[in-house]
Amino acid sequence: VTVFTEDLFGAGSEAVLAGFCQTLGVSIVSDQRVAYSNRLDYPPMPHSVRQRAVAAYADVYRWAEERCGRLPDRWAKDVRTFLA
C-alpha cells in the first residue's frame, strides 16, 4: 500500500486510513476531538517557480510514479503541466 502525505489530508482521508489499517490488520479508530492547529492559507506558488521546481525534481516524479504506480493528484497535475 502506498500512502502519500497528500492522501492523509482532505477529502477521502478516512478511506485511505481505513485501507492502510486493513493492510496492517488493525482497526481504525477515529477521534474527532483532534483539531489541526497548523492549517494556514498559503498563496499559490508562482507559475515560473513551480515550473523550475518540478523540472528540478523530474527524476523523483518519474521514480515515484514508476515505483508506486500513481502520484498524488497535485503531483500528477504538475507532471502533465510541466513535464509532458
Side-chain angles (χ1 to χ4, degrees):
V1 170
T2 299
V3 178
F4 290 95
T5 303
E6 291 83 351
D7 298 331
L8 299 175
F9 301 95
S13 62
E14 284 286 327
V16 170
L17 288 172
F20 187 69
C21 288
Q22 181 180 10
T23 299
L24 296 175
V26 298
S27 299
I28 187 169
V29 176
S30 180
D31 188 347
Q32 300 301 323
R33 297 174 296 166
V34 175
Y36 294 100
S37 61
N38 64 344
R39 289 192 177 189
L40 303 173
D41 289 326
Y42 297 100
M45 185 183 294
H47 184 84
S48 62
V49 174
R50 186 169 212 95
Q51 184 176 21
R52 287 196 318 266
V54 171
Y57 290 97
D59 290 343
V60 174
Y61 282 89
R62 289 186 184 104
W63 177 88
E65 186 170 26
E66 187 176 295
R67 176 86 171 159
C68 302
R70 68 177 188 86
L71 294 173
D73 293 342
R74 185 60 189 225
W75 295 23
K77 181 180 178 186
D78 286 344
V79 167
R80 288 190 308 272
T81 302
F82 300 116
L83 300 177

